[in-house]
Amino acid sequence: MGVERIERFLSKHIEGFFNKRFSSNLELAELVSRVEREIAAKAKGKHARIPTTFLFSLESEDYHRLYAQSVIDTLYLAAAKAIILYDASATAALAIRLKEDDSIQRGRYELRASEPVEEDTAQTLVLERRGMIHEAAALRPMDSLTFASLSVLSGPDREASIELGTGDVHIGRREQNELILTDSNVSRVHAWIAYERHRHILHDANSTNGTFVNNERVRASCLREGDIIRMGETTIRYEVI
């Protein structure tokens, strides 16, 4: 039995045994771990289909204790980070749902992960009660969340940094850029980063001296954890935070 299979076995059976034996409260960390495992399992293969809708069915007490914007934010961020870390992508918007189900024992849960998601529930907090939706609202735009960063490693602006979410980030000497560099070898708008298919894509903006990722000149590049971006005399590290 391989290491991954052993970890899955222990996670599923031992964790489940203690929940069943002692009827403990369901912890958010368990849901986060399950989201990460679902994405990791589906990220393998050339034509992998990554789940983007996560419907958690919870026992009544756990449900009422956990349905909150902070819980949804945490689960959303876990999914967004996992997609990057496992070098995957997805076309549908992320959505997290919580559903009350009295047939489930306290401390346990069921998850249905699927893709795609219906447009009207994308990136929203959806709460269900006994199979009927009783509350649904985009309590906070998900584009306000950040889950990656750019950190300047060398050059005139060493130690400058910016956090990334789903919005565009422009890089260069222009004062209106989100990440301003004072490097004279960097163009006014040297490059920009867009969020596409749940990945940060670096685009060169027809810069004079070019944009490089891990020492390779690029026109566009899907950023991966730990990538080193170079423009002019400046190097920048991309990381999931």
Side-chain angles (χ1 to χ4, degrees):
M1 183 180 290
V3 174
E4 291 184 357
R5 291 179 62 190
I6 292 174
E7 289 177 344
R8 287 197 298 269
F9 176 87
L10 293 175
S11 178
K12 178 179 179 181
H13 293 279
I14 294 181
E15 182 179 284
F17 166 79
F18 280 103
N19 284 336
K20 183 176 181 181
R21 176 65 178 81
F22 300 107
S23 296
S24 59
N25 288 330
L26 181 64
E27 299 297 334
L28 176 56
E30 298 176 57
L31 306 185
V32 168
S33 178
R34 182 62 185 276
V35 166
E36 294 170 342
R37 294 200 307 269
E38 287 291 324
I39 291 174
K42 299 291 175 54
K44 301 173 183 178
K46 185 176 180 180
H47 302 290
R49 291 181 59 83
I50 302 301
T52 54
T53 300
F54 297 88
L55 170 59
F56 286 97
S57 297
L58 313 177
E59 178 270 341
S60 180
E61 183 177 328
D62 287 328
Y63 169 79
H64 287 284
R65 181 170 50 84
L66 289 172
Y67 77 85
Q69 182 67 61
S70 60
V71 170
I72 300 304
D73 286 352
T74 299
L75 293 171
Y76 179 92
L77 288 171
K81 293 177 185 181
I83 290 173
I84 298 171
L85 291 171
Y86 289 106
D87 198 18
S89 65
T91 56
L94 288 173
I96 306 296
R97 298 183 180 186
L98 303 182
K99 176 182 178 181
E100 184 180 13
D101 188 338
D102 290 334
S103 69
I104 295 175
Q105 187 174 1
R106 185 162 66 91
R108 304 294 296 273
Y109 68 89
E110 292 180 359
L111 170 64
R112 187 169 76 241
S114 61
E115 183 196 10
V117 64
E118 300 88 343
E119 288 187 8
D120 61 347
T121 60
Q123 296 186 355
T124 64
L125 167 60
V126 179
L127 307 174
E128 299 184 8
R129 184 179 180 86
R130 295 183 177 88
M132 299 294 289
I133 296 177
H134 76 267
E135 184 177 356
L139 300 184
R140 182 168 68 208
M142 292 302 177
D143 58 12
S144 66
L145 302 177
T146 58
F147 41 89
S149 70
L150 297 176
S151 302
V152 179
L153 302 178
S154 65
D157 307 287
R158 184 179 178 183
E159 296 186 358
S161 64
I162 187 171
E163 294 186 351
L164 308 177
T166 62
D168 290 351
V169 171
H170 299 83
I171 307 169
R173 292 187 292 106
R174 189 184 64 170
E175 291 184 0
Q176 292 78 14
N177 293 327
E178 286 76 19
L179 179 58
I180 301 171
L181 301 177
T182 59
D183 187 338
S184 60
N185 292 306
V186 168
S187 299
R188 283 177 52 78
V189 181
H190 196 103
W192 82 93
I193 293 176
Y195 191 64
E196 305 167 12
R197 296 171 59 89
H198 299 287
R199 297 298 298 272
H200 289 117
I201 311 298
L202 174 69
H203 298 270
D204 179 74
N206 294 319
S207 63
T208 302
N209 295 319
T211 300
F212 299 78
V213 175
N214 300 327
N215 293 320
E216 181 178 346
R217 187 165 184 166
V218 299
R219 297 294 301 170
S221 178
C222 180
L223 294 174
R224 296 172 174 82
E225 166 70 8
D227 276 353
I228 302 297
I229 303 164
R230 178 167 59 85
M231 47 188 74
E233 300 301 317
T234 298
T235 58
I236 303 169
R237 181 170 55 216
Y238 170 81
E239 294 178 295
V240 174
I241 56 176

